[in-house]
Amino acid sequence: LTADTLRYYERIGLLPAVARNKSGNRDYSSIDCERIEFIKCMREAGLSIEVLTRYMHLFLEGDSTLKEREELLIAERDRLGNRLQHMQETLSRLNHKIELYEQAHSAATTWAASVFSGIKKQRRNTPPGTASLQPFRTEGLFFYKVLTPFTS
Protein backbone atom coordinates (compact mmCIF):
# COMPACT_ATOMS: atom_id res chain seq x y z
CA LEU A 1 0.00 0.00 0.00
CA THR A 2 1.19 3.51 -0.63
CA ALA A 3 1.86 6.02 2.13
CA ASP A 4 -1.09 8.07 0.86
CA THR A 5 -3.40 5.06 1.17
CA LEU A 6 -2.21 4.35 4.72
CA ARG A 7 -2.74 7.99 5.71
CA TYR A 8 -6.21 7.89 4.12
CA TYR A 9 -7.12 4.71 6.03
CA GLU A 10 -5.97 6.36 9.24
CA ARG A 11 -7.86 9.58 8.49
CA ILE A 12 -11.21 7.80 7.85
CA GLY A 13 -10.82 5.58 10.90
CA LEU A 14 -10.23 2.32 9.05
CA LEU A 15 -6.82 2.13 10.69
CA PRO A 16 -6.43 3.37 14.27
CA ALA A 17 -4.00 6.24 14.82
CA VAL A 18 -0.47 4.97 14.42
CA ALA A 19 2.24 5.84 16.96
CA ARG A 20 4.95 8.21 15.85
CA ASN A 21 8.65 8.18 16.54
CA LYS A 22 10.71 11.15 17.83
CA SER A 23 11.00 12.54 14.30
CA GLY A 24 7.22 12.54 13.90
CA ASN A 25 7.18 9.70 11.37
CA ARG A 26 4.65 6.92 11.71
CA ASP A 27 6.09 3.93 13.53
CA TYR A 28 4.02 0.86 12.61
CA SER A 29 3.93 -1.88 15.24
CA SER A 30 3.49 -5.56 14.45
CA ILE A 31 -0.20 -5.20 15.42
CA ASP A 32 -0.56 -2.27 13.00
CA CYS A 33 1.05 -4.38 10.26
CA GLU A 34 -1.33 -7.28 10.96
CA ARG A 35 -4.29 -4.90 10.69
CA ILE A 36 -2.94 -3.50 7.43
CA GLU A 37 -2.53 -7.02 6.02
CA PHE A 38 -6.10 -7.85 7.06
CA ILE A 39 -7.43 -4.68 5.44
CA LYS A 40 -5.41 -5.30 2.29
CA CYS A 41 -6.66 -8.89 2.05
CA MET A 42 -10.29 -7.89 2.58
CA ARG A 43 -10.05 -5.05 0.05
CA GLU A 44 -8.59 -7.44 -2.54
CA ALA A 45 -11.54 -9.76 -1.86
CA GLY A 46 -13.90 -6.89 -2.68
CA LEU A 47 -15.03 -5.68 0.74
CA SER A 48 -15.94 -2.02 0.70
CA ILE A 49 -14.24 0.65 2.76
CA GLU A 50 -17.55 1.16 4.59
CA VAL A 51 -17.84 -2.49 5.61
CA LEU A 52 -14.22 -2.63 6.71
CA THR A 53 -14.53 0.60 8.67
CA ARG A 54 -17.61 -0.76 10.43
CA TYR A 55 -15.79 -4.01 11.20
CA MET A 56 -12.69 -2.22 12.56
CA HIS A 57 -14.84 0.00 14.79
CA LEU A 58 -16.64 -3.05 16.12
CA PHE A 59 -13.32 -4.80 16.68
CA LEU A 60 -12.01 -1.88 18.71
CA GLU A 61 -15.18 -1.93 20.86
CA GLY A 62 -14.20 -5.36 22.12
CA ASP A 63 -15.84 -8.69 22.80
CA SER A 64 -19.31 -7.23 23.22
CA THR A 65 -19.43 -6.97 19.40
CA LEU A 66 -18.37 -10.53 18.60
CA LYS A 67 -21.79 -11.58 17.28
CA GLU A 68 -22.17 -8.47 15.12
CA ARG A 69 -18.66 -8.91 13.66
CA GLU A 70 -19.38 -12.55 12.92
CA GLU A 71 -22.64 -11.64 11.16
CA LEU A 72 -20.90 -8.95 9.14
CA LEU A 73 -18.18 -11.39 8.03
CA ILE A 74 -20.73 -14.10 7.21
CA ALA A 75 -22.66 -11.66 5.01
CA GLU A 76 -19.46 -10.66 3.23
CA ARG A 77 -18.45 -14.31 2.81
CA ASP A 78 -21.83 -15.06 1.22
CA ARG A 79 -21.46 -12.07 -1.08
CA LEU A 80 -17.96 -13.18 -2.04
CA GLY A 81 -19.21 -16.73 -2.65
CA ASN A 82 -21.85 -15.39 -5.03
CA ARG A 83 -19.20 -13.34 -6.85
CA LEU A 84 -16.95 -16.40 -7.12
CA GLN A 85 -19.82 -18.47 -8.52
CA HIS A 86 -20.60 -15.75 -11.06
CA MET A 87 -16.91 -15.49 -11.99
CA GLN A 88 -16.71 -19.29 -12.40
CA GLU A 89 -19.74 -19.20 -14.71
CA THR A 90 -18.11 -16.39 -16.68
CA LEU A 91 -14.84 -18.34 -16.90
CA SER A 92 -16.72 -21.41 -18.17
CA ARG A 93 -18.46 -19.27 -20.77
CA LEU A 94 -15.15 -17.77 -21.91
CA ASN A 95 -13.54 -21.22 -22.12
CA HIS A 96 -16.47 -22.46 -24.22
CA LYS A 97 -16.18 -19.47 -26.54
CA ILE A 98 -12.42 -20.01 -26.92
CA GLU A 99 -13.04 -23.69 -27.74
CA LEU A 100 -15.45 -22.62 -30.49
CA TYR A 101 -12.80 -20.32 -31.95
CA GLU A 102 -10.19 -23.10 -31.76
CA GLN A 103 -12.59 -25.49 -33.52
CA ALA A 104 -13.38 -22.87 -36.17
CA HIS A 105 -9.68 -22.18 -36.68
CA SER A 106 -8.93 -25.89 -36.99
CA ALA A 107 -11.81 -26.37 -39.43
CA ALA A 108 -10.76 -23.30 -41.46
CA THR A 109 -7.19 -24.55 -41.68
CA THR A 110 -8.36 -27.98 -42.84
CA TRP A 111 -10.78 -26.40 -45.31
CA ALA A 112 -8.14 -24.01 -46.63
CA ALA A 113 -5.65 -26.84 -47.11
CA SER A 114 -8.19 -28.83 -49.13
CA VAL A 115 -9.13 -25.75 -51.18
CA PHE A 116 -5.48 -24.93 -51.88
CA SER A 117 -4.88 -28.52 -52.91
CA GLY A 118 -7.85 -28.34 -55.25
CA ILE A 119 -6.71 -25.02 -56.72
CA LYS A 120 -3.21 -26.36 -57.34
CA LYS A 121 -4.73 -29.29 -59.24
CA GLN A 122 -6.99 -26.85 -61.10
CA ARG A 123 -4.01 -24.68 -62.10
CA ARG A 124 -2.14 -27.72 -63.44
CA ASN A 125 -5.20 -28.79 -65.42
CA THR A 126 -6.25 -25.30 -66.61
CA PRO A 127 -6.01 -24.94 -70.38
CA PRO A 128 -3.89 -22.07 -71.70
CA GLY A 129 -5.78 -18.79 -72.16
CA THR A 130 -8.18 -19.24 -69.21
CA ALA A 131 -8.13 -17.45 -65.86
CA SER A 132 -7.24 -19.26 -62.65
CA LEU A 133 -7.16 -18.52 -58.93
CA GLN A 134 -4.02 -18.36 -56.83
CA PRO A 135 -4.46 -18.68 -53.07
CA PHE A 136 -2.40 -16.59 -50.69
CA ARG A 137 -2.44 -15.92 -46.97
CA THR A 138 -1.64 -12.71 -45.14
CA GLU A 139 -2.02 -11.90 -41.44
CA GLY A 140 -3.83 -15.19 -40.88
CA LEU A 141 -6.46 -14.51 -43.58
CA PHE A 142 -6.90 -16.45 -46.82
CA PHE A 143 -7.35 -14.66 -50.14
CA TYR A 144 -7.51 -15.67 -53.78
CA LYS A 145 -5.91 -13.72 -56.56
CA VAL A 146 -7.31 -14.05 -60.08
CA LEU A 147 -4.49 -14.75 -62.47
CA THR A 148 -4.76 -13.40 -65.95
CA PRO A 149 -4.98 -15.89 -68.76
CA PHE A 150 -1.67 -17.45 -69.60
CA THR A 151 -0.32 -19.15 -72.61
CA SER A 152 1.90 -22.18 -72.86
Side-chain angles (χ1 to χ4, degrees), residues 30-111:
S30 60
I31 292 173
D32 293 328
C33 291
E34 287 175 16
R35 287 178 180 159
I36 291 167
E37 282 300 316
F38 175 77
I39 292 167
K40 183 179 174 188
C41 177
M42 294 298 109
R43 289 291 293 145
E44 288 175 355
L47 272 71
S48 69
I49 294 284
E50 294 78 16
V51 167
L52 277 172
T53 303
R54 176 75 182 135
Y55 177 85
M56 293 307 282
H57 284 284
L58 291 170
F59 178 79
L60 293 174
E61 288 180 27
D63 290 347
S64 64
T65 63
L66 285 173
K67 185 67 176 162
E68 194 173 349
R69 282 186 275 157
E70 179 187 21
E71 290 169 356
L72 191 145
L73 292 178
I74 289 171
E76 290 303 310
R77 180 191 61 193
D78 293 346
R79 193 178 64 77
L80 181 59
N82 290 336
R83 281 186 51 222
L84 285 172
Q85 180 181 352
H86 178 73
M87 290 175 76
Q88 186 60 48
E89 291 167 1
T90 301
L91 179 61
S92 294
R93 187 177 231 170
L94 285 171
N95 285 335
H96 176 71
K97 194 72 167 169
I98 290 167
E99 287 173 17
L100 292 176
Y101 278 106
E102 289 170 348
Q103 290 170 6
H105 176 69
S106 177
T109 302
T110 303
W111 174 81

Side-chain angles (χ1 to χ4, degrees), residues 123 126-132 147-152:
R123 286 195 61 206
T126 301
T130 60
S132 66
L147 300 177
T148 56
F150 56 92
T151 58
S152 47

Side-chain angles (χ1 to χ4, degrees), residues 102-122:
E102 289 170 348
Q103 290 170 6
H105 176 69
S106 177
T109 302
T110 303
W111 174 81
S114 68
V115 168
F116 288 162
S117 174
I119 288 174
K120 285 179 185 174
K121 288 177 188 172
Q122 174 195 2

